[in-house]
Amino acid sequence: MKFTAALALLLTSSVSGFVVQPNGRRVNGVGLFEATMDKTEAAAADATIDRSMRDVDVGAPQEFDPTEGGSPALVRNNKDQVWVSQRPRPRRNRKSAAMRGMVRENIVLPSNFIYPLFIHDEDFNTAIPSMPGCERHSLDSMIKEVGEAFELGVKTFVLFPKVADELKTNLGVEAYNPEGIVPRAVRMIKEAYPESIVCTDVALDPYSDQGHDGVVEDGKILNDVTINQLCKQAVCQAKAGSDVVAPSDMMDGRVGAIRDALDSEGFTDVSILSYTAKYASAYYGPFRDALDSHPGFGDKKTYQQDPANGQEALLEASLDSAEGADMLMVKPGMPYLDIIRRLKDNTNLPIAAYHVSGEYAMIKAACERGWLEEKDVVLETLTCFKRAGADIILTYYAKQAAQWMKDDGLI
């Protein structure tokens, strides 16, 4: 066999018969480039390889043989085949889809998802340009979306309202209006889907004319005054039927105060999903577009965590656990997998990860340009959360991911 033909045979086999095309695009999730096979290459890929590898270098300029010399890299087995003398071979557990499925450590299911829904008090939906595929739902559309997700096994939802500007105040009093958009939405979902789990966001930023999570005075966010308002908000949501309240404000001591407020009003069964490690992240922009809740001044660094800090998350987790949190959340998700793992290793409470709007938008943008395969990268991303230690995943892909899982026969 000529050297060039043998080399072509080996290279073709090693990359499953694919060759790079000049257009530089990818296909079927194989790699960074689009690849095709012609009939000659396909035949070469299917050809049996002589595993002795004795004649592949006939006519080759170099004379190195890895099986020869005083310290050979490979040896030969009883059948004169090249052989790495290694008993443990992890690839044996990857040799087929059935084998990989049998030994898979982490499996993501629709029941792990919380589906965030944006709502507004209009009779139409509004697209969110920075979050393709997401929209602000009318309440009727919200019910339809809940129903479709519920049928796919996604049974937990969290609501985020776009509040009319005329209802916004510094004290955020609309947050605890029993006829506000969130209490009405909760009642509608629980009536239509009583087995669903409805989570509600506890924070003032959607209701604030300052665009901050708390009450503002002289450019500062007032901690305890804000908590006073959050307690009213949480109790109002519980009265409407919320199963889980989720304080996202990052005020010190709010979990304990909210727990006491709920318990004192008889809502001992209402859970608290605390935004324990919520970072002052640059990944929140599209979410703030959706709610029109960008800070009116400054930033949120005096109450949200510094992205440079990891140990601080353990302090927040210990405080929230002691104050009565039932679940702990890390936000954002992918850039903070290390924080998810730290919390998982240091608490017995379930851990939630928020696959935030910026992460969602980045995937969408790359996929729209043909740089990534959306289904593959999304399912991999969600699995990464689970592998890092997340029991719960908040993701705008919840319904779509559940549909992909159903299509693939995984559920």
Side-chain angles (χ1 to χ4, degrees), residues 106 328 330 336-345 347 349-353 382-393:
N106 297 286
L328 308 178
V330 176
Y336 295 85
L337 294 180
D338 61 314
I339 306 301
I340 295 171
R341 172 47 58 186
R342 288 198 199 192
L343 264 59
K344 187 66 173 179
D345 290 343
T347 179
L349 294 178
I351 303 300
L382 299 176
T383 301
C384 289
F385 289 132
K386 197 71 181 293
R387 188 195 65 235
D391 305 286
I392 304 159
I393 304 167

Side-chain angles (χ1 to χ4, degrees), residues 85-345:
S85 180
Q86 177 174 320
R87 293 185 183 90
R89 293 201 179 214
R91 285 189 59 187
R92 284 195 285 263
N93 286 342
R94 306 173 196 147
K95 62 188 176 185
S96 69
M99 181 66 75
R100 293 190 297 273
M102 182 175 70
V103 301
R104 185 163 291 130
E105 298 174 31
N106 297 286
I107 300 174
V108 179
L109 297 172
S111 56
N112 299 127
F113 297 150
I114 297 179
Y115 189 10
L117 294 175
F118 299 113
I119 56 176
H120 65 176
D121 241 338
E122 305 288 353
D123 59 3
F124 54 84
N125 291 2
T126 301
I128 303 166
S130 55
M131 298 182 68
C134 291
E135 52 191 349
R136 296 175 191 150
H137 291 273
S138 69
L139 295 189
D140 287 341
S141 174
M142 172 199 71
I143 289 296
K144 180 175 181 292
E145 188 74 4
V146 167
E148 292 175 358
F150 196 89
E151 287 299 312
L152 291 168
V154 179
K155 300 187 177 180
T156 306
F157 306 88
V158 60
L159 303 176
F160 294 106
K162 162 64 174 74
V163 177
D165 288 345
E166 61 268 20
L167 298 176
K168 296 181 179 182
T169 62
N170 186 26
L171 294 177
V173 295
E174 180 65 17
Y176 48 88
N177 176 3
E179 294 305 317
I181 185 173
V182 169
R184 284 185 284 121
V186 171
R187 291 193 290 267
M188 289 175 67
I189 295 174
K190 294 303 289 185
E191 180 178 352
Y193 298 95
E195 298 305 312
S196 66
I197 299 174
V198 180
C199 308
T200 45
D201 179 52
V202 179
L204 297 186
D205 50 325
Y207 309 90
S208 170
D209 59 6
Q210 305 295 309
H212 277 278
D213 293 45
V215 178
V216 178
E217 182 182 70
D218 296 329
K220 295 182 179 180
I221 313 303
L222 302 181
N223 194 91
D224 296 9
V225 169
T226 296
I227 292 176
N228 182 78
Q229 301 300 84
L230 300 180
C231 288
K232 297 177 188 178
Q233 183 183 20
V235 169
C236 175
Q237 293 170 351
K239 288 180 178 178
S242 177
D243 300 289
V244 181
V245 297
S248 63
D249 58 290
M250 290 299 288
M251 299 298 117
D252 292 338
R254 92 278 203 204
V255 171
I258 290 171
R259 181 74 273 161
D260 290 346
L262 291 170
D263 290 354
S264 68
E265 290 297 304
F267 296 110
T268 56
D269 287 340
V270 173
S271 304
I272 296 178
L273 168 56
S274 175
Y275 285 63
T276 292
K278 182 179 180 180
Y279 284 85
S281 172
Y283 285 86
Y284 303 151
F287 177 94
R288 292 171 182 168
D289 293 342
L291 299 189
D292 189 21
S293 62
H294 290 270
F297 64 90
D299 51 44
K300 300 189 177 186
K301 293 180 180 179
T302 65
Y303 48 101
Q304 295 178 355
Q305 285 182 231
D306 186 336
N309 295 349
Q311 194 70 18
E312 187 178 13
L314 299 180
L315 171 61
E316 293 282 1
S318 65
L319 291 171
D320 287 356
S321 299
E323 291 174 27
D326 299 287
M327 296 161 276
L328 308 178
M329 188 193 299
V330 176
K331 181 181 180 182
M334 281 297 287
Y336 295 85
L337 294 180
D338 61 314
I339 306 301
I340 295 171
R341 172 47 58 186
R342 288 198 199 192
L343 264 59
K344 187 66 173 179
D345 290 343

